[in-house]
Amino acid sequence: MKFFAVGIFSLLPVALAAFGVTTSGSNMVVDSGAGLVTTINTSNGDITSLVFNGKQLQDPSKFTHLSSGLGSATVTSSVVNNIAVITVKTSTITHYYIVRSGVNTLYIGTYASAEPSVGELRFIARLSKSALPNGVVSAEVNGGSVIEGSDVFLLNGQTRSKFYSSVRFIEDQVHGVTGSGVGVYMIIPGVGYETSSGGPFFRDIDNQGSAQQELYFYMNSNHQQTETYRTGFFGPYAIAVTTGSAPSASLDTIFMDNLGLQGYVPASGRGTVSGTYSGTFSGLPVTIGFKNSAAQYWIAGSDGSFTRNMMKPGTYSATLFEGEIEADTGTVTVSAGRTSSITLAPTLSRPSTIWSIGTVDGTPAGFLNADKIQTMHPSDSRMGNWGPITYTIGSSSASSFPMAQFKGVNNPTTIKWTASSSQIGARTLRIRTTEAFVGGRPQITVNSWTSNAPSGMGL
Ligand SMILES: *[C@@H]1O[C@H](CO)[C@@H](O)[C@H](O)[C@H]1NC(C)=O
């Protein structure tokens, strides 16, 4: 009998309170009814407590919010059909936390009518480091010494930075931090990036391990701005709290269609683009991007066709990418409830070459240190020696050619080429660069002849 009784009790949830919202003083407490209890400060919209199955996940001194906090905000709540909507409002921001009965997920949406004056729009969860010690290792900086700016550190002989947690938007649907029996994950599903900027290959900070465990959704920033910012409804995105494992990227947010959120466009107000392409460079993944001043989307191409759904109505510039390089552009108009079509084909010049180093794909993939540059500083001892190197046509491999040239570090790069008599004559040397900093740009010397310095390089 004793064993039987123990068995029964272990099936019962432990002291779960009922779903709902209660407010006492400046604390608004939202209970999922399934183990997640979120407390929001009604003076400013900060999340000041995030308790999961009795464990505090929120850092006690630095809170969870947009930007570095909104200062002051009007916080209201409503509960309808087992859905709690918490609205945090300022003159330019309407930020939502939405909790469904029985689901340990904060569904989030951020309407911004203007870019915040700090010049970026981000959501940051500053979580308890002791409850959630495990983040992205290359972004764990706690106790490190600063080596560049205020954000790149040296720790245990490795360079570390929050920037080394970034993942291309096209792949970044779920990222999170974990601890014993608990995981907190940011999910950016479906159309979650439509109001962000930078396109499918843009990447931004996901995580930093400081005295807190910081979990981010950077909607836009000037860390490496490539495009004008957008305004409107950002998201939906979500924070899912689990017993450790990562949640699915295909978060169902369709229930939000009926909540009347500011700036939110439901599925019924959206359309589809279906298209074809041909003649792309073999071996490179094909991505089709769409953008206008209000929204951006992308979809992978496969076997010459693609279908991108859930787009807001409007006229878009469409881009065919081979790898990350723009190979063709077109225009397409999207209407709600309709499917529009477009045909794309590469117009990118790929002249035949006597020799070439690397692949024209808009990235330094395959070059020396290209596999490391996104997760460590160029000075990191784990990097391959930057040189300067001498590259011999016919015998050197592309993996010995540096992915970046620094005037003070590996200048010049020497390419040795012995031309046969039939190869001598007027020839063109093309150098493709993906980006440049502080006015850096390539200049060449061939035997005794030196080119002019190019006037400058944008991104
Ligand atoms: C709520 O915010 C106000 C205003 O910033 C602050 O004075 C107060 O201490 C906060 N309350 C909590 C519990 O953090």
Side-chain angles (χ1 to χ4, degrees):
M1 277 310 285
K2 196 178 174 196
F3 278 110
F4 184 62
V6 169
I8 293 282
F9 281 115
S10 69
L11 293 176
L12 294 174
V14 186
L16 286 187
F19 166 77
V21 181
T22 51
T23 302
S24 121
S26 64
N27 289 328
M28 181 180 282
V29 180
V30 189
D31 196 319
S32 73
L36 183 67
V37 182
T38 308
T39 305
I40 297 163
N41 187 334
T42 56
S43 303
N44 55 23
D46 284 353
I47 293 178
T48 55
S49 168
L50 191 66
V51 174
F52 178 61
N53 292 343
K55 185 186 260 188
Q56 180 58 263
L57 305 179
Q58 173 62 50
D59 183 80
S61 63
K62 294 193 167 182
F63 301 130
T64 292
H65 39 221
L66 282 176
S67 301
S68 297
L70 295 172
S72 70
T74 304
V75 180
T76 54
S77 70
S78 71
V79 180
V80 178
N81 295 332
N82 282 326
I83 299 169
V85 178
I86 316 306
T87 305
V88 178
K89 214 168 167 23
T90 71
S91 59
T92 57
I93 298 279
T94 309
H95 182 67
Y96 299 100
Y97 296 110
I98 299 164
V99 176
R100 308 166 80 180
S101 175
V103 181
N104 293 323
T105 297
L106 297 175
Y107 297 81
I108 311 175
T110 304
Y111 173 80
S113 63
E115 181 68 12
S117 58
V118 287
E120 61 175 38
L121 182 62
R122 71 165 188 196
F123 179 81
I124 176 170
R126 299 184 207 259
L127 303 168
S128 159
K129 194 66 174 292
S130 56
L132 297 152
N134 313 313
V136 177
V137 172
S138 52
E140 173 56 66
V141 305
N142 200 28
S145 49
V146 172
I147 60 164
E148 186 177 323
S150 54
D151 294 321
V152 185
F153 298 82
L154 190 65
L155 180 68
N156 301 335
Q158 297 184 349
T159 55
R160 304 284 185 84
S161 175
K162 57 189 178 183
F163 296 113
Y164 305 148
S165 69
S166 66
V167 174
R168 302 192 309 174
F169 283 174
I170 191 171
E171 282 121 17
D172 192 8
Q173 271 65 63
V174 178
H175 56 263
V177 295
T178 61
S180 173
V182 63
V184 180
Y185 292 91
M186 183 69 71
I187 311 177
I188 304 122
V191 298
Y193 286 110
E194 73 182 354
T195 316
S196 292
S197 61
F201 313 121
F202 194 79
R203 54 174 72 234
D204 216 324
I205 299 164
D206 279 355
N207 171 231
Q208 178 173 251
S210 59
Q212 290 75 39
Q213 188 64 276
E214 302 166 11
L215 182 67
Y216 295 83
F217 175 31
Y218 255 96
M219 290 164 263
N220 65 40
S221 82
N222 58 8
H223 296 143
Q224 177 73 324
Q225 191 183 353
T226 59
E227 200 185 18
T228 306
Y229 298 142
R230 297 179 174 87
T231 51
F233 185 90
F234 292 78
Y237 53 107
I239 287 184
V241 182
T242 74
T243 52
S245 55
S248 164
S250 55
L251 184 72
D252 180 10
T253 58
I254 206 78
F255 74 96
M256 292 170 73
D257 280 14
N258 304 314
L259 300 179
L261 309 178
Q262 188 172 5
Y264 181 97
V265 178
S268 60
R270 294 170 178 269
T272 297
V273 174
S274 191
T276 58
Y277 60 89
S278 58
T280 50
F281 193 75
S282 92
L284 295 179
V286 170
T287 306
I288 297 85
F290 304 91
K291 62 182 176 184
N292 63 23
S293 61
Q296 61 168 3
Y297 305 94
W298 44 81
I299 191 75
S302 174
D303 289 336
S305 67
F306 57 90
T307 299
R308 170 67 226 201
N309 64 6
M310 288 291 281
M311 294 171 66
K312 291 201 280 194
T315 296
Y316 291 86
S317 157
T319 305
L320 178 72
F321 293 98
E322 296 175 326
E324 295 190 8
I325 202 166
E326 292 186 11
D328 191 29
T329 56
T331 300
V332 63
T333 297
V334 174
S335 311
R338 296 261 177 86
T339 298
S340 311
S341 65
I342 186 171
T343 301
L344 297 164
T347 55
L348 179 72
S349 166
R350 289 185 183 273
S352 61
T353 56
I354 298 173
W355 54 261
S356 62
I357 308 170
T359 305
V360 178
D361 64 357
T363 82
F367 288 143
L368 177 68
N369 291 328
D371 57 335
K372 302 188 175 73
I373 198 71
Q374 288 155 5
T375 53
M376 58 184 87
H377 190 266
S379 68
D380 196 292
S381 63
R382 294 168 294 172
M383 286 268 180
N385 187 336
W386 285 103
I389 68 137
T390 295
Y391 184 97
T392 304
I393 299 298
S395 62
S396 297
S397 70
S399 61
S400 68
F401 195 93
M403 60 73 58
Q405 189 156 333
F406 306 86
K407 193 168 184 182
V409 176
N410 59 351
N411 187 47
T413 300
T414 303
I415 299 172
K416 276 196 171 162
W417 173 43
T418 307
S420 66
S421 57
S422 65
Q423 292 171 328
I424 295 171
R427 303 293 173 212
T428 302
L429 178 71
R430 285 183 154 202
I431 303 172
R432 290 183 185 269
T433 54
T434 53
E435 56 189 344
F437 296 90
V438 287
R441 54 210 193 267
Q443 183 176 15
I444 63 165
T445 297
V446 181
N447 297 332
S448 59
W449 175 81
T450 295
S451 73
N452 292 328
S455 55
M457 275 192 43
L459 283 172

